[in-house]
Amino acid sequence: MAWDKLFGRGGSAPAKGAADPADPGASLADSNALQGKRQARRSKRVFISMRIVVKFQRDGQPYKEETSTEAVNAHGCLLRLSVAPKSGQNLTIVNAKSNAEAECRVAYVGHSEGGKTKVGLEFLQPAEHFWHIAFPPDDWNAADFQDAIIDRPAAHQPQKLA
């Protein structure tokens, strides 16, 4: 559930006492509050593969694995690991490109697939520049951007070469 909050994904069970929007007996206010919670996100996520090194303790021994992210945001990332850390465990990640390090907490441990487990990490301290990428603004809408590209005339027409 913590990962759902971090990346704004639905699919987790609503909190006890929360109204189910499909329930005709639920009040409109409860339904709107639940919908607002699902849409609320601390920062935009970007689906990008970035090389990182993950370091943590496993059974009292240091463990280190090179991997890639599946998604990142200003508050953490989603990745897959061969050896899954425990939920709530603190670990260190290193951005392979910049060598920047950040302390994280395991916010989500998902299912294993192909010998790797999905793991969601949350930065312990704000680290919005850790990824060295520009995140879309809060009011960014992909559909609006696509319309602007389609409607805009070409800057120059290609010329035929004889």
Side-chain angles (χ1 to χ4, degrees):
M1 186 166 100
W3 188 249
D4 293 339
K5 288 179 187 175
L6 182 64
F7 277 95
R9 293 188 178 177
S12 64
K16 288 184 179 181
D20 180 0
D23 179 9
S27 74
L28 181 59
D30 290 341
S31 179
N32 288 341
L34 181 60
Q35 185 65 24
K37 269 188 167 182
R38 285 186 183 154
Q39 291 177 353
R41 207 178 276 143
R42 290 190 291 174
S43 60
K44 294 284 186 181
R45 62 183 170 209
V46 175
F47 294 95
I48 187 171
S49 177
M50 299 191 74
R51 301 291 307 160
I52 62 169
V53 176
V54 180
K55 299 188 271 186
F56 61 96
Q57 293 285 319
R58 169 108 174 149
D59 299 326
Q61 298 296 317
Y63 179 78
K64 179 173 145 179
E65 182 176 340
E66 291 184 33
T67 189
S68 295
T69 62
E70 289 186 7
V72 303
N73 72 5
H75 294 91
C77 65
L78 177 67
L79 48 88
R80 290 182 186 266
L81 292 172
S82 299
V83 175
K86 294 178 181 164
S87 185
Q89 182 176 354
N90 288 353
L91 48 78
T92 301
I93 62 173
V94 180
N95 183 326
K97 192 169 189 174
S98 67
N99 285 327
E101 290 192 13
E103 296 295 317
C104 298
R105 179 184 68 83
V106 177
Y108 168 82
V109 177
H111 63 279
S112 290
E113 186 177 302
K116 298 216 174 201
T117 303
K118 269 191 179 184
V119 178
L121 304 179
E122 177 180 36
F123 294 129
L124 294 181
Q125 300 294 319
E128 68 181 71
H129 300 292
F130 179 79
W131 304 113
H132 297 276
I133 63 172
F135 290 95
D138 291 337
D139 62 351
W140 184 76
N141 183 339
D144 293 343
F145 182 72
Q146 188 66 17
D147 292 343
I149 291 174
I150 293 170
D151 294 341
R152 184 176 47 200
H156 63 82
Q157 297 296 327
Q159 298 176 357
K160 289 186 179 180
L161 299 175

